[in-house]
Structure formats: structure tokens, C-alpha cells
């Protein structure tokens, strides 16, 4: 018995468009947050003082990199192949790793 894969966006074309938009936004978010972390790291490396705002931004940006990269950018690639989702190429271990980083990042951002 063949079961049609579930798609909440209607068609395969729409699913592709949504996946591309999510991955593009996640990539840009990862790059932006990485630049914030590297900027503050340079200040620390050269002995310049950082204020509490910059240290808070480093923490939030680090968690944002985890969520943006592991959950949103690698999202569909880490899903097990058996699900037949768009671009699913992972296994249960990659799915579990993605879930771990997702929960860590989301709870970390909530607590901060």
C-alpha cells in the first residue's frame, strides 16, 4: 500500500519554494550571528573591554547559530530518508542530533 507523503504547503512546487526560502533565511541568520560573535571575539583577543550588552549578544548569537544552522538550514537534509520528505537524506541519528541542538538552542534563547 502506497501512502502519499504529507505536505502542509499543498504541492511539491510550493514545498520546494518554502524549503529554499527557509534555507536562505537560515544561512543569512547564521552568517549574521557568526559575524557578531567574531566581532566581540576580536575585541577580547586584542584586550579591549566589552560591555554587558556585547556579552549578552554573544550568548544569543551563539544559540541563534545552533538553531539557524542545525534546525533550519540542515532541516530537511537531516530527516530520515524513509520519510520521503523533500531532500531527506539523514537517518535516525542525524534526526536525534538535530533535535538535541534544536531544543538546546530554543530553550537557551527562551531562558536568556
Amino acid at each position: 500500500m502506497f501512502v502519499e507523503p504529507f505536505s502542509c504547503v499543498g504541492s511539491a512546487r510550493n514545498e520546494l519554494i518554502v524549503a529554499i526560502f527557509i534555507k536562505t533565511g537560515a544561512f543569512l541568520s547564521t552568517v549574521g550571528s557568526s559575524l557578531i560573535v567574531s566581532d566581540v571575539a576580536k575585541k577580547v583577543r586584542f584586550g579591549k573591554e566589552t560591555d554587558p550588552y556585547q556579552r549578552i549578544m554573544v550568548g544569543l548569537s551563539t544559540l541563534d547559530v545552533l538553531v539557524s544552522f542545525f534546525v533550519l538550514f540542515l532541516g530537511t537534509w537531516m530527516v530520515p530518508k524513509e520519510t520521503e520528505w523533500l531532500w531527506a537524506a539523514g537517518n535516525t541519528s542525524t534526526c536525534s542530533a538535530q533535535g538535541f541542538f534544536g531544543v538546546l538552542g530554543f530553550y537557551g534563547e527562551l531562558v536568556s
Side-chain angles (χ1 to χ4, degrees):
M1 177 165 95
F2 178 74
V3 177
E4 185 69 28
F6 175 74
S7 174
C8 60
V9 290
S11 68
R13 180 177 174 270
N14 290 349
E15 189 173 354
L16 177 66
I17 291 169
V18 168
I20 289 171
F21 273 112
I22 290 173
K23 289 182 186 307
T24 303
F27 175 75
L28 294 173
S29 178
T30 302
V31 169
S33 293
S34 298
L35 289 173
I36 291 171
V37 172
S38 69
D39 183 48
V40 176
K42 277 185 210 173
K43 289 181 181 179
V44 170
R45 193 175 327 126
F46 293 124
K48 294 182 181 176
E49 194 172 317
T50 59
D51 59 4
Y53 172 76
Q54 291 172 325
R55 292 190 294 270
I56 290 170
M57 287 304 296
V58 166
L60 288 174
S61 296
T62 303
L63 294 170
D64 182 59
V65 167
L66 287 175
V67 172
S68 295
F69 184 72
F70 285 104
V71 178
L72 299 174
F73 184 74
L74 293 180
T76 55
W77 293 321
M78 296 180 86
V79 174
K81 283 188 267 189
E82 297 82 31
T83 61
E84 297 181 9
W85 282 21
L86 177 69
W87 296 330
N91 54 34
T92 54
S93 298
T94 59
C95 190
S96 296
Q98 181 185 28
F100 171 77
F101 286 116
V103 169
L104 177 71
F106 285 128
Y107 281 141
E109 287 180 353
L110 272 176
V111 170
S112 298

